[in-house]
Amino acid sequence: MPEATLTAASFSPLAMFMNADWVVKGVIAGLAIASLWSWAVILDKAVRLTAMNRDAEGFEAAVGSGRPLEEIAAEVGDDPAQPLPRMLVAALREWRGSRGQRAPLSDTQTALTISRIDKALDSVIAREGRVVENGLGVLAIVATASPFIGLFGTVWGIMTAFQAIAIQKNTNLTVVAPAIAHALFATAIGLIAAIPAYIAYNKFSTDASKFTGRLEAFADDLSAAVARRLGERLAPPSAHDVERV
């Protein structure tokens, strides 16, 4: 690029992208797409996790209000969308199966019923754990790969700068400045894509683990409440038997 054509506008992000060669353009475009993808995941996870925790707190408050659990389960229906109501419905379904027997439950039958309840709750926890972790893989890939992709663009841009020196036989800064600027721009885009993805991955991984722990604690309390009542053959466990998670 001749010296006369170099201006401050020549080093704006748009100008550097348009003036870069096709390899650096491909690197920058790919990193920009990866950044947008990661931000879409970040916003989606932030909204979903906030809603899930809010719904869980509301349901825990309903369970801790003293109302019968069957009444609460009837309100959420047979196929609730949220994990905690789904766990309650699954536990009461197994509870009703044991209540259908007229004879008192033996120790073996009680143990089998508790085992079925635990397996039903574990199945819900496993499914919800996968749902809450969905998208974290994208953030991990963007966070780890983007700096190396940007580094590739940097290396290619520096190679282009040396080629310009060799072709023009001129070491003037105006000869190599555009190519070096394009190379550093690729590095910057790689970091812009990687840093938010890395921070979000760590945050959402922690949040997902906490939410899974919340489900496991609720399942333990629910299973214990049902187990205490199985031998009594009375009404289903009341909300007072379930400690708030």
Side-chain angles (χ1 to χ4, degrees):
M1 181 180 295
E3 184 175 358
T5 63
L6 286 178
T7 64
S10 302
F11 296 96
S12 66
L14 180 60
M16 284 192 292
F17 175 77
M18 296 304 297
N19 293 328
D21 67 6
W22 65 272
V23 174
V24 178
K25 278 184 179 179
V27 168
I28 294 174
L31 290 172
I33 293 172
S35 180
L36 292 175
W37 190 12
S38 67
W39 273 107
V41 173
I42 290 170
L43 295 177
D44 178 72
K45 298 302 293 183
V47 171
R48 286 180 181 270
L49 283 172
T50 300
M52 292 174 73
N53 280 294
R54 183 178 61 248
D55 293 338
E57 290 175 0
F59 189 74
E60 288 168 359
V63 168
S65 65
R67 297 167 54 198
L69 294 185
E70 281 198 339
E71 178 181 331
I72 298 174
E75 291 180 356
V76 300
D78 294 332
D79 188 21
Q82 300 302 319
L84 265 65
R86 194 174 300 163
M87 293 167 66
L88 176 60
V89 170
L92 291 182
R93 186 180 298 117
E94 298 298 334
W95 161 266
R96 295 189 190 100
S98 67
R99 289 183 64 200
Q101 304 179 27
R102 294 185 178 181
L105 293 178
S106 65
D107 291 342
T108 301
Q109 291 172 322
T110 300
L112 289 175
T113 301
I114 295 174
S115 177
R116 289 198 301 270
I117 292 173
D118 288 340
K119 288 181 179 179
L121 296 178
D122 289 342
S123 178
V124 175
I125 292 173
R127 287 196 299 269
E128 294 301 326
R130 289 193 295 269
V131 170
V132 79
E133 292 176 358
N134 186 35
L136 294 182
V138 173
L139 297 180
I141 291 173
V142 173
T144 56
S146 294
F148 294 102
I149 297 174
L151 181 61
F152 171 75
T154 302
V155 172
W156 189 272
I158 293 175
M159 290 171 56
T160 303
F162 282 116
Q163 289 176 358
I165 293 174
I167 292 173
Q168 299 187 28
K169 298 180 181 180
N170 186 352
T171 58
N172 193 295
L173 187 59
T174 58
V175 176
V176 298
I180 293 178
H182 301 158
L184 296 178
F185 185 53
T187 302
I189 295 297
L191 294 177
I192 289 173
I195 292 174
Y198 178 79
I199 295 173
Y201 173 79
N202 285 278
K203 180 187 184 304
F204 291 139
S205 294
T206 301
D207 292 345
S209 297
K210 289 181 179 179
F211 189 78
T212 302
R214 187 176 206 167
L215 298 182
E216 292 173 348
F218 184 81
D220 291 341
D221 291 338
L222 187 59
S223 179
V226 174
R228 284 194 297 268
R229 291 301 184 95
L230 270 174
E232 299 177 11
R233 302 301 306 280
L234 297 175
S238 67
H240 294 297
D241 293 319
V242 182
E243 298 177 2
R244 295 189 64 182
V245 179

